[in-house]
Amino acid sequence: MRKFISFEGIDGAGKSSHIPWMADLLRGAGKSVVVSREPGGTPLGERLRAMLLGEPMSIDTELLLMTAARAEHLAQVIQPALDRGDIVLCDRFHDSSYAFQGGGRGISLDRLESLDKWCGGARPDLTFLFDVPTAEAQRRMDGSRDQKDRFETEAEGFHAAVRRVYLERAAAEPGRVVVIDSTQAIDAIRAELSGHVQKLVLGE
């Protein structure tokens, strides 16, 4: 059974709306579930999240704060939950650093991998990548968000680079990353997710 599950996608892909639904699905099957997010997930991580999403900073500072939040998150939330036998559902994890700081910001792969290893090199057992064209993601954000964070306000080229890296990582790790067409209707997406959960998480 795969216990550490992450949810990824460009801003506006719609991933976050499916996490509470999946938590309820798993709890209905008798599983103990912890839901968290990155950046964030701990009191310190949430303070770092507010800075990362709201305050201007250098690219290096951004990456280091993301890594610090992840290290705290792993130590205080994720690893203890996995040690207890819980299923962890996490809104973003390490793939987001490769996509946003690597693809979007242009930080080298060597630097990303070095910090990833320094942070413990933890990997989700399963990642759902919600994929949507950048123009559609922008349309969704324009229609649903009164105020955007500093990542959401980046130009379309930034989001296109983020999406490209996500898809490259999915192609490189097809056994871990499941790509979900997020342009589908919600019911269709959840039917697809349910099938994956039954097979890959519950082992049915």
Side-chain angles (χ1 to χ4, degrees):
M1 182 173 70
R2 307 196 195 188
K3 291 186 175 181
F4 182 13
I5 305 169
S6 63
F7 296 71
E8 299 281 359
I10 63 173
D11 290 318
K15 61 179 172 48
S16 299
S17 62
H18 299 287
I19 298 174
W21 168 86
M22 188 174 291
D24 288 343
L25 180 69
L26 290 167
R27 288 173 182 140
K31 304 302 179 182
S32 179
V33 180
V34 170
V35 177
S36 198
R37 68 177 182 177
E38 289 208 347
T42 66
L44 174 59
E46 291 297 324
R47 294 197 293 274
L48 293 173
R49 178 186 180 90
M51 290 189 286
L52 283 160
L53 299 187
E55 297 183 19
M57 62 186 67
S58 73
I59 293 172
D60 286 344
T61 300
E62 178 181 293
L63 175 60
L64 290 169
L65 288 180
M66 287 282 189
T67 305
R70 180 165 302 135
E72 184 75 0
H73 193 202
L74 278 164
Q76 300 299 326
V77 177
I78 294 175
Q79 195 57 57
L82 295 174
D83 289 343
R84 291 192 304 266
D86 297 341
I87 294 175
V88 175
L89 305 183
C90 193
D91 190 343
R92 300 199 185 286
F93 194 65
H94 80 298
D95 292 294
S96 63
S97 292
Y98 289 91
F100 281 84
Q101 281 72 55
R105 302 296 191 209
I107 293 175
S108 72
L109 182 62
D110 286 346
R111 180 175 293 183
L112 291 165
E113 288 180 338
S114 176
L115 282 174
D116 200 9
K117 291 176 183 176
W118 176 71
C119 196
R123 291 286 184 276
D125 302 309
L126 174 64
T127 296
F128 290 113
L129 172 59
F130 291 78
D131 183 51
V132 65
T134 54
E136 172 61 17
Q138 188 64 54
R139 185 191 67 77
R140 293 178 181 183
M141 288 191 290
D142 289 343
S144 64
R145 304 185 189 182
D146 295 331
Q147 187 172 0
K148 297 177 182 178
D149 65 44
R150 69 185 188 90
F151 290 97
E152 294 169 344
T153 56
E154 290 286 352
E156 186 173 351
F158 174 90
H159 297 290
V162 171
R163 183 189 184 205
R164 173 181 55 78
V165 171
Y166 268 136
L167 292 173
E168 288 174 354
R169 292 183 67 77
E173 296 187 65
R176 175 178 68 89
V177 183
V178 175
V179 180
I180 304 294
D181 178 1
S182 197
T183 64
Q184 302 176 87
I186 289 177
D187 287 348
I189 292 173
R190 290 185 176 173
E192 184 176 351
L193 289 171
S194 181
H196 290 302
V197 166
Q198 298 298 328
K199 178 182 178 182
L200 299 175
V201 182
L202 299 176
E204 298 179 358

